[in-house]
Every structure is written in structure tokens, then in C-alpha cells.
Amino acid sequence: DMHSGNTTQPWGEDGAPVQLRGYNNANSAVQWALEQADTFSEVVFAGCSAGSLGVMMWSELLQKRLRGRTAKFTTFADSFAGVLFPPQLVHAGQGHLCDVWNICGLPLLNQVEQVQCRSKTLLLQEHFRVAMQENRESRFAMVNSKTDAVQVLFQKGYMLTAMKSRAGFKMTGAQYYKGFNLNMQEQVKEDNFGVYLADGTQHCFTQSQVMYTTTPQGEGGGGDGQRLSEWMGELSGAAATSRVVCEGALVQVQEDAPECENTTYCDEAIMERAA
């Protein structure tokens, strides 16, 4: 439930009630952490897979609670960006999850976002961007492989079972990567946001040793590109570093243009924001 749910639903053949209390669970952890000290020299907020979605959901509220209590806040969303396919079902698909998980009335969203959420016009990416806009002194980042196999698989299953979309079930890695780039074109407009892209299908980098071996050529390393671990350290430390890391031929990714089947490319619009 993206660490944000607040509902009870029937489950299984017998319809036994199952509580989805991701919001309460995460809120308890946040409250405990805030009780451990009055101030924090640095806060790094990170999560992979479903944790990445939780990071995107919680960044805005967590920084409100920490305002005046930390000098440095860095967010890393690892390997889940909320890409859905086909494009015309993105709002309905994300809106359905927020509805069934009863997210729209929670403090995670401001009042304007709560209205948008109920009308299924709010996207998770837009909510994450609000956190960037309201916390200019903080750093935000996304780490992702270009054709993340787990994200593609989850999207297929969700769009078929929940949204009854055969087109969504047939989404390719190339279509996923195009959708990801279109999302990033908006995010990188914020100068406190960065993105690291690796070739391949790897799902999650920050929870294992691949964080130290990954380069833009993939989790196995290779090439002369900057290692993921070095980039994350520089970004967190506010050192001079490229906001966008990607290696490959430059391609103009446009919503009304067909996807490029060779997914080793980099989106020209994103790379223009690399500095």
C-alpha cells in the first residue's frame, strides 16, 4: 500500500478482513525517530521498490515535521517510479490505488492535493515534485534501471487485474522506459532533483552490494561512468556533481512519438539538465 494505506479489505476466497495500515506503521516509525533527538545533523530518507513509492508519498510531510530540526535532508527513491501504461489510463490507474487504499484524506497530502486525489487527477510524481518545490534546500533523487523487470512485471499484472487493460498487460520494456523519461522530464525541471539511470533490468540498488558496483552500464559495472555510490555521496553532501547520470546516444523522447526499441539511449531533454 505504498506505506500509505489506511483501510480494511476482504481477502481470499472467504473474504477475511485484512488491515492495510501502511500509513500508521510508517507514522509510528517516524514518530519514534523524532523522539530520539531534538535536532539531527543530517537526515537521509531512502527506500527501494515499494519503499521508493513510500519515499515519494512521505517526503513532503516528513520534511514539514523536521523543519528547523535538521540542516540537511536528502531523499533517494530507488526503483519504483509509478510508470503505468497506456498513457490514457495513468490518472485512473494511480487514482484507483489511492481510492482503494483510502489515501486521499490523509495528512500526507495537502488540501489541494486531497481534492485532486478524490477526483483522480493527482499523480504521485506531481506530489513528489511539490515536496521539491516546498523544500528548495533539500536534495531529491531517483535511482532506476532503464527497463526495470519488476516494475514492468508489476505494471502488467496491475493493469490487467485492476484496470482490465490488455494494452497495459502487453507493455514492453521500451514503452516503460519511454514513460519513465516523460515523467523525469518534469521532475528534472526542479534544480534540487537528480536521477541516476543504469542500463539493464536491475530492480533495487541501495539494499545490496550492487550499490557499490553499479555504473551507468549496469549493476555489474564497466565503462568510465561515475559509480552510483559515489554519485549518491556527492549528491547528499551537496558537492559539485552532475544532477543526471546516463550513458547512451541522445534521443528526443516525445509523448506523441513511437518508443525507441533500443533502450540504452538517454533522453535529450533530461540530459540538458545534467549540470
Side-chain angles (χ1 to χ4, degrees), residues 43-164:
V43 173
V44 176
F45 186 38
C48 82
S49 196
S52 175
L53 299 174
V55 162
M56 295 168 72
M57 284 295 303
W58 274 87
S59 286
E60 182 181 0
L61 180 59
L62 182 57
Q63 290 191 80
K64 285 180 180 179
R65 294 185 178 180
L66 280 165
R67 195 151 292 153
R69 298 179 62 176
T70 182
K72 190 190 305 183
F73 190 102
T74 307
T75 293
F76 291 103
D78 175 12
S79 297
F80 225 114
V83 175
L84 294 178
F85 183 86
Q88 61 267 29
L89 291 181
V90 171
H91 283 88
Q94 288 199 18
H96 175 71
L97 288 176
C98 289
D99 185 35
V100 299
W101 288 337
N102 196 30
I103 291 174
C104 295
L106 296 175
L108 294 168
L109 308 178
N110 62 40
Q111 290 184 346
V112 172
E113 290 174 322
Q114 288 182 6
V115 173
Q116 294 173 330
C117 183
R118 293 188 179 97
S119 63
K120 294 182 172 61
T121 58
L122 175 69
L123 293 179
L124 177 60
Q125 300 92 316
E126 295 169 351
H127 171 65
F128 194 34
R129 193 176 175 189
V130 168
M132 302 173 206
Q133 294 169 342
E134 293 188 351
N135 299 276
R136 290 294 183 187
E137 72 286 354
S138 299
R139 307 297 293 271
F140 299 80
M142 182 160 285
V143 179
N144 219 82
S145 65
K146 293 178 180 178
T147 53
D148 184 320
V150 172
Q151 290 188 62
V152 171
L153 182 63
F154 174 85
Q155 192 281 159
K156 286 184 173 189
Y158 172 68
M159 293 305 288
L160 179 64
T161 58
M163 305 305 295
K164 311 303 180 187

Side-chain angles (χ1 to χ4, degrees), residues 2-22:
M2 300 191 296
H3 302 278
S4 308
N6 185 38
T7 189
T8 301
Q9 293 182 337
W11 197 262
E13 294 182 359
D14 60 354
V18 172
Q19 294 193 44
L20 300 174
R21 304 296 177 189

